[in-house]
Amino acid sequence: MDAEIETLIKGLPDADSARRFLDMFREKHPSDHKKLIKNAALLSDVATLATFSPLLAATMLQNPEYLWWLSRRRAESGGRSSEEMLESLTKFFTENPDIEPQLVFARFRRRELMRIYLRDIRRLATIAEITEEISNLADAVLESALQIARREIDTRFGKPQGSDGTTARFCIVALGKLGSRELNYSSDIDLLFLYSEEGSTTGGSRDKVTNREYFVKLAEYIRRLVGQQTGEAAYRVDLRLRPHGSLGALTLSVNDTMRYYNTEARGWERQVMIRSRGCAGDIELFKEFFTAIEDLVFSKNETVETALANVRRSKERMDLENINRRGFNVKLGSGGVREIEFLAQALQLAHGGKDRWLRSPHTLISIARLTDRGHFTSKELSQLSAAYEFLRRTEHVLQMENGVQTHTVPDEAEKRSLVAHRVTFAAGGNFERELKAHTKNVSHIFSRIFGEVLSELPAVAVGLTEQSRSFVESAVTDDNVQPPATADGSDSYFATVAPHFAAMIATSLQLAGDFPDKGDEFVEPDYSSIM
């Protein structure tokens, strides 16, 4: 290999993978390789992406034209808005007229991630800017999918109409990390679908249907376009947070959804709405809906003790789930990202009912505002922000290696060393020392906030029976499996479970720690094997 190229790649975390990539690229695309080695800046970027992500290395080998697109885009200093992403996606469709929409979405996303991850690797943007841009990408894909689906369903059944003869409105609501614009590279996207009112369609190539039937078909079409279960898909779409969970209708009217949150929704379901927003379709429809339920999400009657105790119990359940995991989980481990998120959400629930300024969905913004109100010290704000930045960067390195949803820093020395070199590549530092310091700081703040309150509660509030109830309830709600109600329809089933039975279930959850779940890594593809 040319000495100049060798000098360029020898400082990368895994120089051997860069060499293998360039050798394969030369063999498969000799003319593109000649052009590439004449462009030192682009060569550096391409080699860096290859050494950080076997997934993106495979993408570039399969699509050499992406390199020249990256060459044009790499000079952009800032991120791209959802509107800019949508414009670029529309152009991408015109360039690929013979490809199925599902594949267009998946390939467009992969191409954009090359640019975003390069900015991430080189620390050209803050973690908040990176996760916002990843979220903007998802917004653009969802908006485009909605447009395609609506044209198709309108052709079949006509336009859905309200009582006044105008077209009924529809909105895709983002929840979780997409809702707060903090999406990971490999996050599921949690969605909720809303439509404005009941009625019927005007009719098309098929007979008229009710608005509910129309919008259920529309939502199902969108899900297939964006997250089909077979083949290449842009996202994993999770719809289990909708009313009644997996058993509920795929979409409901605003009135029916508001009725659900007013009469049936559990506390955790209302808590989910802290991080919610309209991300595609009629955004004003979501704003009208959220205004109607906002006082349920941020209740003025919520006590600090209750809000913190409820969140603390959720964390204890996650600790049990994580007890037998190998490696350190930067999301669920002690001092991890979830503790930072729970700190923000618990204090928002505790104080947001009386203080509207605290009602921000974004974790870092929430922490800053809570600090201004005296709930964190300035030192704690600095520690939490630094820990969030470090842990999310680490999470990104883990996920972009092979494009899977993982949060675990491996125990194996060689793999762990590679992760450490990737995380510290641009900013320097000692990975192990920083990981230990950041998680220790988060754990200390978490213990201060939650420990002070729980120490003042009656023993029964944190005893085995109540913890067992929380573990069981959290476990079923995590998958939106609704626990059985009592004869009078009240939500008191778990309150009547015998203490010994509840304890037995809690113990069984500890034993279930070895069972795989959707966050496990056993399906991880090995893209490096082709290099």
Side-chain angles (χ1 to χ4, degrees):
M1 183 171 288
D2 185 273
E4 186 176 343
I5 298 177
E6 184 63 30
T7 300
L8 185 148
I9 68 174
K10 69 178 183 179
L12 295 174
D14 184 5
D16 286 342
S17 66
R19 294 186 188 99
R20 290 194 299 271
F21 168 80
L22 291 174
D23 287 342
M24 292 185 68
F25 193 80
R26 182 180 62 245
E27 292 175 9
K28 294 189 67 172
H29 312 288
S31 60
D32 286 305
H33 181 268
K34 289 180 181 179
K35 291 170 57 180
L36 177 61
I37 61 176
K38 294 178 181 178
N39 187 333
L42 179 61
L43 176 61
S44 175
D45 287 344
V46 168
T48 300
L49 285 173
T51 195
F52 269 74
S53 175
L55 169 69
L56 293 182
T59 299
M60 292 186 290
L61 285 172
Q62 295 163 1
N63 305 276
E65 69 275 12
Y66 288 5
L67 274 63
W68 316 119
W69 172 85
L70 181 65
S71 180
R72 295 190 298 272
R73 291 294 182 184
R74 64 184 299 279
E76 295 178 354
S77 57
R80 306 180 75 190
S81 67
S82 55
E83 292 77 15
E84 290 171 321
M85 293 277 197
L86 182 59
E87 181 180 351
S88 183
L89 176 54
T90 302
K91 182 180 179 182
F92 194 73
F93 263 103
T94 64
E95 296 169 349
N96 298 275
D98 300 324
I99 301 178
E100 290 294 316
Q102 294 94 327
L103 289 178
V104 172
F105 289 137
R107 293 175 185 181
F108 176 78
R109 173 179 174 270
R110 184 76 61 81
R111 190 185 73 170
E112 286 292 332
L113 290 185
M114 290 172 53
R115 179 185 56 80
I116 296 172
Y117 193 41
L118 185 62
R119 296 181 71 224
D120 196 351
I121 292 169
R122 298 208 183 283
R123 305 294 177 99
L124 299 178
T126 65
I127 199 66
E129 291 169 333
I130 292 295
T131 55
E132 180 174 353
E133 193 168 9
I134 298 172
S135 302
N136 291 343
L137 173 57
D139 288 358
V141 170
L142 287 167
E143 181 63 46
S144 180
L146 170 57
Q147 293 173 6
I148 293 172
R150 191 142 203 175
R151 287 195 296 269
E152 176 63 26
I153 305 301
D154 279 358
T155 299
R156 296 180 192 176
F157 305 104
K159 294 185 180 297
Q161 292 187 312
S163 56
D164 61 356
T166 59
T167 301
R169 298 180 291 159
F170 179 80
C171 181
I172 302 177
V173 179
L175 306 171
K177 280 186 166 61
L178 180 58
S180 60
R181 299 184 187 275
E182 299 173 276
L183 199 64
N184 285 330
Y185 288 105
S186 193
S187 291
D188 293 356
I189 53 174
D190 297 292
L191 303 178
L192 177 69
F193 299 117
L194 295 176
Y195 62 92
S196 58
E197 56 189 315
E198 303 296 352
S200 62
T201 66
T202 58
S205 62
R206 302 182 187 180
D207 291 339
K208 296 180 180 180
V209 294
T210 65
N211 282 1
R212 175 169 293 193
E213 291 174 301
Y214 171 95
F215 285 114
V216 167
K217 293 177 186 298
L218 182 69
E220 180 57 41
Y221 203 138
I222 293 168
R223 177 167 65 175
R224 290 202 309 270
L225 287 172
V226 173
Q228 63 179 0
Q229 298 302 307
T230 58
E232 192 174 0
Y235 295 99
R236 293 178 303 274
V237 178
D238 193 338
L239 302 174
R240 294 174 299 172
L241 296 181
R242 66 186 186 271
H244 302 294
S246 300
L247 301 178
L250 203 55
T251 180
L252 293 174
S253 70
V254 167
N255 285 339
D256 284 346
T257 308
M258 288 191 300
R259 189 179 302 114
Y260 177 83
Y261 280 98
N262 273 286
T263 61
E264 299 182 58
R266 298 177 179 275
W268 67 266
E269 291 179 283
R270 294 191 292 270
Q271 181 180 341
V272 164
M273 299 307 294
I274 292 176
R275 300 198 294 179
S276 64
R277 64 182 175 88
C279 67
D282 193 320
I283 307 302
E284 287 301 316
L285 182 64
F286 167 77
K287 293 179 180 179
E288 294 167 13
F289 161 73
F290 189 76
T291 297
I293 69 163
E294 189 171 9
D295 287 341
L296 292 173
V297 178
F298 300 100
S299 173
K300 294 181 180 179
N301 298 322
E302 183 73 275
T303 66
V304 175
E305 292 79 8
T306 300
L308 297 188
N310 286 341
V311 173
R312 177 60 182 262
R313 286 196 294 268
S314 294
K315 178 60 173 60
E316 289 170 342
R317 189 266 303 174
M318 291 180 182
D319 288 345
L320 280 182
E321 291 181 345
N322 199 45
I323 196 169
N324 289 324
R325 298 280 178 86
R326 298 179 62 191
F328 177 74
N329 190 307
V330 297
K331 177 181 178 180
L332 301 180
S334 179
V337 173
R338 184 52 57 86
E339 287 192 5
I340 302 174
E341 293 173 338
F342 274 13
L343 280 166
Q345 291 176 33
L347 291 175
Q348 281 182 295
L349 290 172
H351 303 286
K354 300 180 180 66
D355 190 347
R356 298 184 64 86
W357 193 61
L358 296 177
R359 302 178 185 182
S360 170
H362 197 285
T363 302
L364 293 178
I365 294 175
S366 299
I367 292 171
R369 293 184 178 185
L370 287 163
T371 302
D372 285 344
R373 292 294 195 252
H375 301 297
F376 296 118
T377 66
S378 296
K379 181 180 179 180
E380 288 173 334
L381 170 62
S382 177
Q383 291 175 335
L384 290 173
S385 299
Y388 185 85
E389 174 95 10
F390 177 84
L391 293 170
R392 290 300 303 271
R393 298 274 189 192
T394 302
E395 192 174 50
H396 288 179
V397 164
L398 294 169
Q399 294 187 350
M400 280 305 291
E401 179 172 17
N402 287 315
V404 297
Q405 189 181 37
T406 180
H407 312 276
T408 303
V409 180
D411 284 331
E412 296 86 349
E414 185 176 351
K415 291 182 178 179
R416 193 177 183 99
S417 176
L418 181 57
V419 169
H421 288 160
R422 286 170 174 165
V423 173
T424 60
F425 173 67
N430 183 295
F431 174 79
E432 298 295 345
R433 184 166 57 240
E434 290 184 45
L435 178 63
K436 182 178 180 180
H438 288 308
T439 54
K440 181 179 179 181
N441 288 338
V442 173
S443 293
H444 178 77
I445 298 168
F446 191 88
S447 297
R448 180 186 74 77
I449 295 295
F450 288 94
E452 289 177 358
V453 173
L454 292 186
S455 66
E456 300 172 2
L457 294 178
V460 68
V462 292
L464 176 60
T465 302
E466 182 61 22
Q467 286 188 5
S468 300
R469 176 189 189 277
S470 172
F471 296 151
V472 177
E473 186 168 17
S474 297
V476 296
T477 55
D478 213 36
D479 289 327
N480 281 274
V481 178
Q482 300 302 318
T486 52
D488 63 359
S490 65
D491 181 23
S492 58
Y493 175 80
F494 286 106
T496 64
V497 174
H500 294 296
F501 181 62
M504 178 184 70
I505 298 176
T507 301
S508 72
L509 285 176
Q510 287 181 295
L511 297 176
D514 289 328
F515 287 112
D517 60 22
K518 66 181 181 181
D520 285 343
E521 302 173 53
F522 65 94
V523 296
E524 179 174 327
D526 183 13
Y527 290 99
S528 62
S529 63
I530 71 170
M531 296 178 58

